[in-house]
Amino acid sequence: MEEIMEKMYLMTPGPTPIPPQVALEMAEPIIHHRSPQFQKIFAEVLEKLRYLFQTKNDILLFASSGTGAMEAAVANLLSPSDRVIVVRGGKFGQRWAEICVTYGIEIIPIDVQWGMAVEPQEIEKILQSGNSQPIKAVFTTLCETSTGTLTDIQKIGEVVKKSKAVLVVDAISGLAADDLRTDNWSVDVVVGGSQKGLMLPPGLSFVSISEKAWDIMEEKIPSYYFNFKKYKKVLSKPDTPWTPAISLISGLQKSLRLIKEEGLENVFIRHQKLAAAVRDGIEAIGLKLFSKNPSNAVSAVRAPANINSSKLVSMMRDEFKVWIADGQGELKGKVFRIAHLGYMQRFDVIIALSALEMTLAKMGYKLELGKAVAAAEEILRGNYA
Ligand SMILES: *Cc1c(COP(=O)(O)O)cnc(C)c1O
C-alpha cells in the first residue's frame, strides 16, 4: 500500500473506532482456546457482558457479524409456520422480517413510518386479538440505525410479558449507548454485535437468552454451527463448542473493562451529551433531525433541499477525511447519519460538525461557519463523565 499521511475520522454507525489499548491487546500472540489462560479471559468476558446487558441470563458469543446472531435467534427459537410479530420501521426491522420469511415463519408485520417509534399498544392489540394460532415471538430493534430512532423497549416488555410470546430485541447499535435493562424490562433475547458500541472490529456477535426463551425452543435440531444448545452445554466451564474468535475475545475483555471502569450509567450520559451536541449543532445551521424519537447512538439528519446526501458523505470522506454514513434504502441521498457511538468523546463530534459545515459550504449551502460547532460547545463544555 502507498504510504500516505492521512488522518481519518470514523463516525459511522458501525464499524466504529477502536481504543488503542484494545487494538494492542488483539495484536498479542494467539493463545490456545482450550487452556486455563483463555478460560480466565472468557469467564471475565461473560461476567462483564452480563453487566453490559443488565441481565443474569446466559449470553452466547458467536464468530459472526451481528446479522449472524439475528439469524441464529430466528432459527433456534422458531419452527416453520410459527407466527411472529415484526416491527418494521427501517432497514433493520426489515431484516428481521426477511430472516423470518427465509425460515418459513409467518410474520405479522407492524409497519411504522420511518423515523417514528412503534406504539407499544399496536403490539398489545395483536397479542390480545385472540388468534387461533398463538404468537411465539415479537421482533423489534432498540436503535433502528437506518433512521436513528429509539424504540421504547420498556413499554413493549410490559406488554409482551403478559403473553406467551418472547421479546427479541436487536440491540446491535444501541447497546452501550441507549439504556436497555434486559431483566427489568423482561427482554427475552437481546442480540449484540462487536463493531458498534463495544469498540471492537466486526466479527463477534452476542445473544442473551432468558428462561422463557429457552423454554420455547423446540426439541428439533434447528441448526448446527449456531445451535444455541451446543453453546449452552459448555458455557459453564466456560467453553465454546468450536474455536472462538480468540483475538477478538481478548480485545473484548479490554473494551468491557473500559466500559466497567467508566460505569454504564456514565457511558449512557456521555452518549446522551454527544447526541445532544450533534442535534443542537445541526439545528444551529438550519438542518433538521430525521427521527421523532432519536437514539443516542446515531443521528440521522435530513439533507437540505438541493443537496444530495450521498454526495455530501463522499465529499466529507474524500476531502475532509471524516467518514459518516449516507441514508439506507429509501433514505439514500436524502439523509446522512453521524454516529457518536463507542470510543467517542467531545472532540469527535466537534470534528464531525466542523467537517459538515465545511462540506455544506463547499456544496453551496448558505451557512455561517462555526455556528454548529459553537452550539455543540455549549453542550460539551458542561461537566459530564
Ligand atoms: C449494524 C447493525 C446490524 C448488523 O449488522 P452486521 O453488518 O451484520 O454486523 C443489525 N442491526 C442493527 C440495528 C445494526 O445497527
Side-chain angles (χ1 to χ4, degrees):
M1 211 177 104
E2 284 176 88
E3 301 297 334
I4 305 173
M5 175 66 182
E6 195 172 86
K7 190 162 181 181
M8 294 184 299
Y9 301 89
L10 185 61
M11 306 283 299
T12 56
T16 64
I18 296 160
Q21 307 91 307
V22 175
L24 281 171
E25 184 63 36
M26 291 184 299
E28 287 285 325
I30 201 101
I31 60 171
H32 197 276
H33 55 291
R34 315 268 187 233
S35 67
Q37 287 82 353
F38 182 76
Q39 265 184 343
K40 192 157 170 264
I41 295 171
F42 195 44
E44 183 183 331
V45 160
L46 290 172
E47 179 217 308
K48 290 200 165 66
L49 277 175
R50 282 195 289 269
Y51 168 75
L52 173 66
F53 279 64
Q54 305 187 60
T55 187
K56 294 195 174 70
N57 291 338
D58 296 320
I59 299 181
L60 311 180
L61 281 78
F62 306 99
S64 78
S65 81
T67 307
M70 292 171 75
E71 173 160 1
V74 171
N76 280 272
L77 289 165
L78 304 167
S79 304
S81 73
D82 277 348
R83 300 176 86 213
V84 302
I85 295 172
V86 181
V87 176
R88 289 195 299 205
K91 192 82 187 156
F92 294 99
Q94 284 179 349
R95 187 166 299 177
W96 273 135
E98 286 164 12
I99 296 169
C100 287
V101 167
T102 302
Y103 279 84
I105 313 297
E106 197 188 313
I107 63 165
I108 304 173
I110 299 179
D111 285 309
V112 180
Q113 191 190 328
W114 285 31
M116 307 282 279
V118 67
E119 291 291 343
Q121 300 94 288
E122 295 228 18
I123 296 171
E124 188 165 36
K125 254 194 292 178
I126 300 174
L127 285 173
Q128 291 178 344
S129 64
N131 276 301
S132 48
Q133 200 190 340
I135 286 160
K136 274 198 123 168
V138 175
F139 289 89
T140 186
T141 315
L142 174 62
C143 163
E144 176 48 80
T145 319
S146 59
T147 65
T149 300
L150 182 68
T151 306
D152 189 344
I153 301 297
Q154 182 176 12
K155 286 249 171 61
I156 296 174
E158 283 167 19
V159 163
V160 178
K161 176 171 81 173
K162 293 183 276 178
S163 75
K164 287 214 164 70
V166 293
L167 175 57
V168 186
V169 175
D170 167 0
I172 294 171
S173 62
L175 208 59
D178 295 308
D179 198 4
L180 175 63
R181 305 190 182 172
T182 302
D183 289 354
N184 284 349
W185 297 353
S186 311
V187 185
D188 296 294
V189 176
V190 174
V191 179
S194 55
Q195 79 277 26
K196 314 245 166 148
L198 277 162
M199 310 179 283
L200 285 167
L204 270 186
S205 63
F206 316 94
V207 179
S208 79
I209 304 162
S210 72
E211 278 305 320
K212 186 176 174 187
W214 282 116
D215 287 346
I216 73 155
M217 283 184 217
E218 298 290 328
E219 281 310 309
K220 67 172 179 108
I221 295 182
S223 59
Y224 191 85
Y225 183 81
F226 283 108
N227 188 321
F228 285 179
K229 287 177 186 163
K230 288 191 200 290
Y231 286 80
K232 163 97 166 159
K233 223 166 127 186
V234 292
L235 192 64
S236 63
K237 290 186 175 187
D239 201 354
T240 53
W242 346 106
T243 313
I246 298 166
S247 302
L248 286 171
I249 290 175
S250 302
L252 177 61
Q253 181 192 32
K254 275 272 187 295
S255 65
L256 287 169
R257 280 182 186 176
L258 293 174
I259 289 171
K260 187 85 197 277
E261 175 72 22
E262 185 178 354
L264 203 45
E265 205 55 42
N266 294 326
V267 170
F268 294 142
I269 292 170
R270 175 165 53 84
H271 282 85
Q272 188 195 314
K273 294 284 182 191
L274 299 178
V278 168
R279 288 171 206 155
D280 281 14
I282 60 115
E283 273 163 24
I285 51 172
L287 302 184
K288 286 212 162 52
L289 205 64
F290 180 76
S291 179
K292 294 284 178 285
N293 192 41
S295 152
N296 290 329
V298 55
S299 296
V301 183
R302 286 179 197 275
N306 308 323
I307 291 201
N308 181 299
S309 64
S310 312
K311 287 214 183 91
L312 182 148
V313 167
S314 54
M315 187 185 278
M316 222 163 127
R317 179 192 61 216
D318 297 339
E319 296 193 21
F320 297 100
K321 318 301 173 200
V322 177
W323 299 47
I324 61 169
D326 193 11
Q328 289 174 286
E330 61 192 61
L331 298 179
K332 201 172 177 59
K334 298 187 182 124
V335 311
F336 57 89
R337 295 172 299 147
I338 301 174
H340 19 79
L341 175 59
Y343 185 51
M344 295 273 169
Q345 51 101 301
R346 293 175 168 95
F347 293 102
D348 295 299
V349 304
I350 292 292
I351 286 167
L353 289 170
S354 169
L356 175 65
E357 289 181 330
M358 292 191 277
T359 308
L360 283 169
K362 214 167 167 167
M363 291 179 88
Y365 179 72
K366 292 269 176 297
L367 82 167
E368 195 184 315
L369 288 174
K371 269 191 117 173
V373 167
E377 285 178 351
E378 284 302 332
I379 303 259
L380 298 172
R381 72 196 177 118
N383 284 331
Y384 70 92

